[in-house]
Amino acid sequence: AMELAREKTLAGVRVTVTAGPTQESLDPVRYLTNHSSGRMGYAIAREAMLRGAQVTLISGPVSLAPVPGVAMRPVTTAKDMLEAVRETLPETDILIKAAAVADYRPVTVADQKIKKKDGDMSIPLERTDDILGWVEKNRHPGLFVCGFSMETENMVENSRAKLEKKHLDMIAANNLKTEGAGFGVATNVVTLITKDGIKELPLMGKDEVAGCLLDEIAARR
Ligand code: CTP
Ligand code: CA
C-alpha cells in the first residue's frame, strides 16, 4: 500500500507513453522485431498513473500484464503505432516515446508462407514512418516530448544529436553495453539530456528510473 502513496504531481495531466518493440511481418509466420521487453515504458506509465496523470499506454507486442488504471492501446507495427499516436496526440500534454520502433520493414508481406530454397535469400526492406518526425510537424503548443535513445557507443553525442534533430524537450539515453542497462533486465542506467544540461542517473530499478524521469519532466513543463 505504501508504494501507492505518491504525491499527485501530475494530477489531471494527460500522459501518453509508447512502449515495447514493433513487429513488421514478412509472411504469415515471420516478422522483424527487436529485444525490447516494454518494461521501461510500462514502469513509466504506472508511475505517471500513481502521480495522478491520465495515462494512455500505446504498446507493441510484449509479455507484460496490462497496467491497471491505464488506458491500454495495443499495436503491432510501426504504422499502427503512428496511427495510435496521431489519434492520441491532440489530447496529450506529455508524450514519452520509450518504444523501440523498427526502422525498417519488409517491402512486401507475402500472402503465403515463404518456402525455403537453395541459395541465398535476401529480404528487400524499406524505412518505416518516423513517429517522432510526424509529432515534430504536428505538435501543439505546450506539448512536452521525451524521446529515448539506445546506443552502443558515443551515447551522449548521438543522443544530443537526436534531441536537436527531432526537436525533443528531453531524451533519456542508455548505453546497451553498460552492465545492468537496457533490454530484458529490471534495472537501467539512464542519462537525461535536455538542451541546457545532462543528468546521469545511477543504476536503479526501472520503476525508480521512471520516477526520476517524471520528476524531471514535471519540473520543466
Ligand atoms: N522513433 C520513432 N519512430 C521511428 C523510430 C524511432 O518515433 N520510426 C523514436 C523512438 O521511440 C525513440 C527515438 O525515436 O524515442 C529514438 O529512437 P532511436 O532508434 O534511438 O533513434 P533513430 O533516430 O531511429 O536512430 P538510430 O536507430 O539510427 O540510432
Ligand atoms: Ca532506430
Side-chain angles (χ1 to χ4, degrees):
M2 266 319 286
E3 70 159 2
L4 293 176
R6 294 284 192 287
E7 246 190 279
K8 302 294 180 218
T9 49
L10 294 173
V13 179
R14 299 164 303 177
V15 175
T16 299
V17 181
T18 70
T22 66
Q23 272 179 8
E24 312 296 332
S25 283
L26 173 59
D27 71 11
V29 292
R30 305 176 180 103
Y31 54 80
L32 299 182
T33 190
N34 58 64
H35 290 296
S36 173
S37 67
R39 280 189 191 174
M40 194 61 248
Y42 274 57
I44 294 166
R46 180 168 179 278
E47 286 295 321
M49 177 275 293
L50 292 175
R51 284 165 164 71
Q54 192 182 309
V55 184
T56 302
L57 177 54
I58 300 171
S59 175
V62 296
S63 51
L64 300 172
V67 186
V70 164
M72 300 295 300
R73 282 270 327 231
V75 297
T76 304
T77 64
K79 202 180 189 38
D80 297 341
M81 191 171 276
L82 172 62
E83 196 48 49
V85 169
R86 264 184 215 257
E87 282 176 31
T88 322
L89 200 73
E91 276 141 45
T92 297
D93 302 308
I94 300 173
L95 174 65
I96 303 173
K97 288 232 57 217
V101 185
D103 291 321
Y104 294 92
R105 68 182 158 226
V107 172
T108 53
V109 182
D111 277 347
Q112 307 299 334
K113 183 183 171 192
I114 300 169
K115 301 302 285 181
K116 69 175 175 291
K117 296 184 263 238
D118 290 332
D120 289 344
M121 187 211 194
S122 58
I123 303 167
L125 301 177
E126 64 187 13
R127 290 285 299 275
T128 55
D129 308 273
D130 183 357
I131 302 172
L132 280 179
W134 184 88
V135 169
E136 189 193 325
K137 292 192 198 75
N138 294 277
R139 59 184 295 171
H140 51 84
L143 176 72
F144 189 102
V145 183
C146 175
F148 267 71
S149 172
M150 192 171 254
E151 302 289 347
T152 56
E153 56 184 2
N154 306 323
M155 181 191 77
V156 173
E157 299 83 333
N158 289 349
S159 302
R160 222 187 231 124
K162 286 175 193 173
L163 177 84
E164 279 162 27
K165 182 163 173 266
K166 301 180 185 222
H167 295 102
L168 303 172
D169 300 293
M170 184 184 286
I171 194 155
N174 63 77
N175 186 335
L176 256 190
K177 298 256 161 111
T178 304
E179 189 81 28
F183 294 131
V185 290
T187 55
N188 210 351
V189 182
V190 167
T191 300
L192 300 177
I193 306 172
T194 59
K195 64 177 180 336
D196 35 55
I198 88 172
K199 179 167 185 168
E200 286 178 47
L201 303 178
L203 172 74
M204 29 186 184
K206 285 183 175 171
D207 47 351
E208 292 173 275
V209 174
C212 290
L213 181 120
L214 290 168
D215 288 344
E216 286 294 320
I217 293 175
R220 284 162 193 284
R221 62 183 287 279

